[in-house]
């Protein structure tokens, strides 16, 4: 905390926003993981079911590679969404009931040579940033799609239990 107290307001704000953004990105990754699982395992279940019902052989390596790719793309796309510092600051302000304090500080921190009044406002925002938990507005929670994603995993496993279609062979007379 003494290190944080000696930091200048710009650094304090930057650190606060960076911590909040890392939590937000983790939430995005969990959402992407749920989407990826839903698409990969749901699609995989369909793939396995069709192959079993048609009597085709299953190329497990192609199936695994396709599912892994879908999963990774979903997580990457979700995690790499653009997040503006100002939006994060506004969310922190709203959660902690600050009167746009951090948001003002984020905007003022962009000014290379702030006026004396702007410097005071920046200093006040830095002080407020020292006393808040920047991750609090972004709690980690179960993504909404998690139950559906887990159901897709179950369907995928169940698809392997489908009987393989075997064409009827005429009896020799």
């Amino acid at each position: 905390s003494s290190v944080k107290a000696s930091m200048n307001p710009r650094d304090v704000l930057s650190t606060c926003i960076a911590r909040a953004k890392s939590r937000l990105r983790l939430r995005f990754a969990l959402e992407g993981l749920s989407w990826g699982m839903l698409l990969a395992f749901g699609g995989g279940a369909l793939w396995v079911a069709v192959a079993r019902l048609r009597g085709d052989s299953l190329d497990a390596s192609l199936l695994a590679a396709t599912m892994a790719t879908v999963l990774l793309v979903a997580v990457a796309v979700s995690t790499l969404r653009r997040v503006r510092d100002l939006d994060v600051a506004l969310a922190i302000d709203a959660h902690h009931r600050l009167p746009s304090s951090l948001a003002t500080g984020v905007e003022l921190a962009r000014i290379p040579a702030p006026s004396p009044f702007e410097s005071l406002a920046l200093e006040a925002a830095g002080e407020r940033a020292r006393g808040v938990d920047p991750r609090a507005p972004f709690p980690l929670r179960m993504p909404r799609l998690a139950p559906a994603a887990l159901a897709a995993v179950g369907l995928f496993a169940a698809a392997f239990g489908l009987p393989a279609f075997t064409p009827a062979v005429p009896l020799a007379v």
Side-chain angles (χ1 to χ4, degrees):
S1 183
S2 62
V3 172
K4 204 175 191 182
S6 66
M7 293 172 66
N8 75 47
R10 290 174 200 263
D11 292 340
V12 171
L13 284 165
S14 177
T15 300
C16 181
I17 298 300
R19 288 180 65 208
K21 283 173 104 171
S22 68
R23 172 63 66 95
L24 192 53
R25 292 211 185 287
L26 182 55
R27 277 182 53 180
F28 290 162
L30 290 173
E31 289 171 13
L33 180 62
S34 290
W35 271 107
M37 286 175 62
L38 182 63
L39 294 172
F41 284 97
L46 184 61
W47 188 337
V48 170
V50 168
R52 302 278 300 170
L53 294 174
R54 289 180 54 186
D56 296 342
S57 64
L58 189 65
D59 185 347
S61 60
L62 179 61
L63 175 63
T66 302
M67 290 175 64
T69 301
V70 167
L71 194 58
L72 290 173
V73 167
V75 170
V77 166
S78 296
T79 306
L80 298 177
R81 284 194 296 206
R82 186 171 184 265
V83 179
R84 294 178 343 139
D85 289 355
L86 181 59
D87 293 334
V88 171
L90 286 168
I92 295 170
D93 284 341
H95 180 80
H96 291 289
R97 297 189 175 140
L98 302 174
S100 300
S101 182
L102 270 62
T104 301
V106 164
E107 289 297 304
L108 292 175
R110 294 180 181 167
I111 300 171
S115 70
F117 176 75
E118 291 167 336
S119 292
L120 283 174
L122 183 59
E123 190 69 40
E127 280 303 311
R128 285 202 177 95
R130 283 183 179 92
V132 299
D133 179 3
R135 296 173 300 195
F138 311 107
L140 293 181
R141 59 178 171 249
M142 178 84 69
R144 285 184 326 216
L145 282 177
L150 293 175
V153 172
L155 285 174
F156 178 74
F160 282 100
L162 290 173
F165 175 76
T166 51
V169 178
L171 296 175
V173 209

